[in-house]
Amino acid sequence: MALTKAHNRMIEGVPVNVLDFGADRTGTSTSHAEIQDAIDHASANGKAVYIPSGDYKMAGIITVPSFMTIYGSGPQSRLFRDTSVDMFDFMRIKSTSDIQLKDFKIDGVTKEDNASYTSNYSGVRVCQTIPEVTVAEALQTDFTYTFPSPASTSDFAVYRNQVLQTLTTDYTVNLATSTVTLNAATGAGALIIIANLGGTEAQPHNILLEGLHIEKTTGGEQQAAANTAGIVLEDCYDVTVSKCRLEDNRSAGILISQVSSYGIRSLPPFQTNKIRISDCVGYGEVFPFDNSWPSGFGSFITGNQFEEMQVSGCYADGFGYTNIGLNGQKQSVTGCISLNSSYAGITLGHPSEGSRPAEVVCSNNICLNNNYAGITSVGATNLLISGNALANNCVTDSAAAEIEVRYDSNYVAGTSDKITISDNVIRDGNAVGIQCEVGNSIFITGNQIHDCGNRALFLTQKNATDVMEVFVANNYLKDSGTSTQSAIEVSATTGAANALCMNNYIFTSDVSTKQGMGITAVGSLADVQVHDNWFSTGYVGTLNTNFGARNTKAFNAFSSGTLTLSTRLLTP
């Protein structure tokens, strides 16, 4: 009697093995079609897909359906690009949900130095199918396209060469006939019409990417190359990325965006939301490739226009721009290590199209040896920077700060407010310890700042239409500044700044070279009140108040600011 070989596909509950569908684990022949066949079979039968150890040559995109788990045996299960074909998305999760990709490696194999690409390619892309039509050539006559039951004219967006067109002038929408008409007068150029008619159920969601090792998938290093990264998350929600390792993905390691694959921002109600990235490791460029900013413009984790995102426990080393850079409504970065970036260790609320982060938390991170700031924030409100350790940042920019809240003209007065910078430890800085350039309701408390090459605290109002209100208390400031700079300086020549400084401990071991003054007010718009601060011996300022044998200096000040002095003898 003839025996039939039993494949895993025949056994109830056993995962589908890609080898049973002809995948070549030696890497001699391409395997993308065979792996896709295995996935399609598993999807039809409610099974997972297993990729055993081996090298699998890929020459095309793998599409992942809903309710699918694909897993391997760790980095030994390697999918690598066939170098005879152009780069592409290795795996695409498009408008599907309930997916897990776990424990395998994606290897783009090669890359070009300082190249800028226009096509989209990634290791894993999570994206949404948006009803759209693309017209590549110039229109000689009016062009009309019919969509099913549009609710209003706001359901449509029309772009020519990625430039938003104007309703009525460049196109019209007829709700009665469900049509959109493009006017020939708009001229030549590629047209894209986007209509949001699918509802939020079309968004990919409930997705887990765990234990993936992704490298060299993006080719060019320019972030402006639009939506290229090791992992790309577009228009999706409820996504977890955990325990992944990303190396040499030049544009970005992980990119979170509300931008479609065509480089065009989606319309509401689509919104990237509830993104969680934890315990991931990212390494940037290595010699001989250029990882210096701006030519090496890339980040380990970069997010834009999302609703809510959490990054925790990640390690980022040596990227060409900010190692971790987020710009969304609610964002948190906790327990991360950020080293050796060509720009900042962590960037929060960086400006983009006038957006304004509403809740930002940056806590318990370590930032070391980054060329610009350790932690920098722009335009955020409800900002908490707490419990971080920073050292030797601002390596190439002495005008920056270990921690800085920057002013940017994209934001109107008052948008940087409710700021708390507390309990951070800063050592061996090359510039300012903590610098605030804008904002109100600022609380700077409980920080330890040692041996910075510039001021320990620098509060400089750069917004002419705003009033900076600052409370500075219980900070320990040692050996920061120069012979002509102070430990704390409040500067207001453009806009007003009101500061209350109290219960700070200001110590210097050598006033001839460091901390020539303790607290200073600079500019006619600076109004500073000083209470119960403790200064070490040896200070010589324009204004000195000494207490007996302890020689405690209550206040040192210079320039034209308004100074209010209230002191009392502090007992040992």
Side-chain angles (χ1 to χ4, degrees), residues 5 36 59 150 179 195 230 249 333 350 358 427 442 447 452 471 502 521:
K5 182 179 179 180
Q36 185 69 64
T179 57
N249 298 285
V333 181
H350 198 274
R427 299 188 66 93
I442 302 174
N447 300 284
C452 284
F471 178 70
M502 61 185 299

Side-chain angles (χ1 to χ4, degrees), residues 315-462:
Y315 179 96
D317 188 352
F319 283 82
Y321 189 52
T322 296
N323 278 342
I324 300 173
L326 306 182
N327 177 24
Q329 289 300 304
K330 297 179 181 180
Q331 53 193 270
S332 67
V333 181
T334 59
C336 296
I337 298 175
S338 181
L339 315 174
N340 304 316
S341 80
S342 292
Y343 189 64
I346 299 172
T347 299
L348 303 164
H350 198 274
S352 176
E353 300 183 11
S355 62
R356 177 191 179 194
E359 295 181 19
V360 179
V361 175
C362 183
S363 66
N364 302 315
N365 303 289
I366 297 174
C367 295
L368 305 175
N369 305 324
N370 298 289
N371 276 359
Y372 185 65
I375 299 170
T376 181
S377 176
V378 182
T381 186
N382 295 316
L383 168 65
L384 173 64
I385 301 176
S386 179
N388 302 284
L390 305 97
N392 198 39
N393 297 291
C394 315
V395 175
T396 60
D397 195 335
S398 60
E402 294 285 322
I403 297 175
E404 66 173 8
V405 178
R406 291 177 49 206
Y407 170 72
D408 190 284
S409 59
N410 289 331
Y411 295 93
V412 297
T415 53
S416 292
D417 57 13
K418 299 178 182 177
I419 298 167
T420 299
I421 304 175
S422 66
D423 303 310
N424 301 284
V425 177
I426 298 172
R427 299 188 66 93
D428 301 320
N430 297 293
V432 175
I434 297 174
Q435 178 168 313
C436 292
E437 299 178 349
V438 68
N440 52 61
S441 300
I442 302 174
F443 297 85
I444 302 176
T445 62
N447 300 284
Q448 298 182 38
I449 303 177
H450 305 251
D451 302 297
C452 284
N454 204 305
R455 306 163 184 85
L457 300 178
F458 186 30
L459 312 174
T460 172
Q461 173 62 286
K462 293 189 176 182

Side-chain angles (χ1 to χ4, degrees), residues 48-282:
V49 172
Y50 174 55
I51 304 174
S53 298
D55 296 313
Y56 301 87
K57 184 186 291 186
M58 309 293 288
I61 298 171
I62 296 296
T63 301
V64 184
S66 294
F67 306 104
M68 174 57 58
T69 295
I70 303 173
Y71 68 97
S73 297
Q76 295 77 23
S77 301
R78 173 176 172 258
L79 311 181
F80 70 95
R81 182 176 66 88
D82 182 350
T83 56
S84 67
V85 301
D86 291 335
M87 290 189 171
F88 51 87
D89 292 340
F90 274 74
M91 288 193 169
R92 185 172 292 172
I93 300 171
K94 193 168 185 178
S95 294
T96 53
S97 61
D98 300 283
I99 292 168
Q100 296 186 21
L101 304 182
K102 304 171 66 174
D103 301 320
F104 56 86
K105 181 176 182 178
I106 294 175
D107 188 351
V109 180
T110 60
K111 57 184 176 180
E112 295 181 21
D113 189 37
N114 296 317
S116 183
Y117 285 72
T118 56
S119 43
N120 297 289
Y121 39 80
S122 63
V124 177
R125 182 180 301 276
V126 180
C127 59
Q128 178 188 340
T129 302
I130 302 174
E132 57 191 307
V133 59
T134 302
V135 184
E137 304 298 330
L139 300 177
Q140 302 302 316
T141 59
D142 287 354
F143 173 80
T144 298
Y145 193 84
T146 302
F147 286 102
S149 304
S152 69
T153 55
S154 62
D155 285 337
F156 291 90
V158 178
Y159 294 81
R160 184 183 297 279
N161 292 333
Q162 298 193 13
V163 176
L164 181 65
Q165 302 295 287
T166 303
L167 180 65
T168 305
T169 303
D170 300 317
Y171 71 97
T172 58
V173 175
N174 188 325
L175 297 179
T177 60
S178 301
T179 57
V180 57
T181 299
L182 284 300
N183 300 327
T186 54
L191 292 170
I192 295 178
I193 309 167
I194 294 179
N196 279 347
L197 305 172
T200 56
E201 68 275 3
Q203 288 181 272
H205 62 278
N206 194 19
I207 293 167
L208 171 64
L209 308 178
E210 182 179 271
L212 303 181
H213 186 157
I214 301 176
E215 62 181 43
K216 301 183 181 71
T217 59
T218 57
E221 67 184 7
Q222 297 293 343
Q223 195 175 36
N227 287 20
T228 61
I231 297 173
V232 179
L233 307 177
E234 303 170 346
D235 295 320
C236 54
Y237 68 95
D238 197 9
V239 178
T240 298
V241 182
S242 177
K243 301 177 183 177
C244 294
R245 182 184 181 97
L246 297 104
E247 298 181 68
D248 292 338
N249 298 285
R250 313 199 76 187
S251 179
I254 303 173
L255 172 64
I256 301 91
S257 177
Q258 194 193 342
V259 180
S260 75
S261 298
Y262 293 94
I264 294 175
R265 189 168 307 286
S266 301
L267 301 172
F270 301 124
Q271 179 76 44
T272 303
N273 191 16
K274 297 181 180 178
I275 308 298
R276 296 170 294 274
I277 301 173
S278 65
D279 304 312
C280 293
V281 174

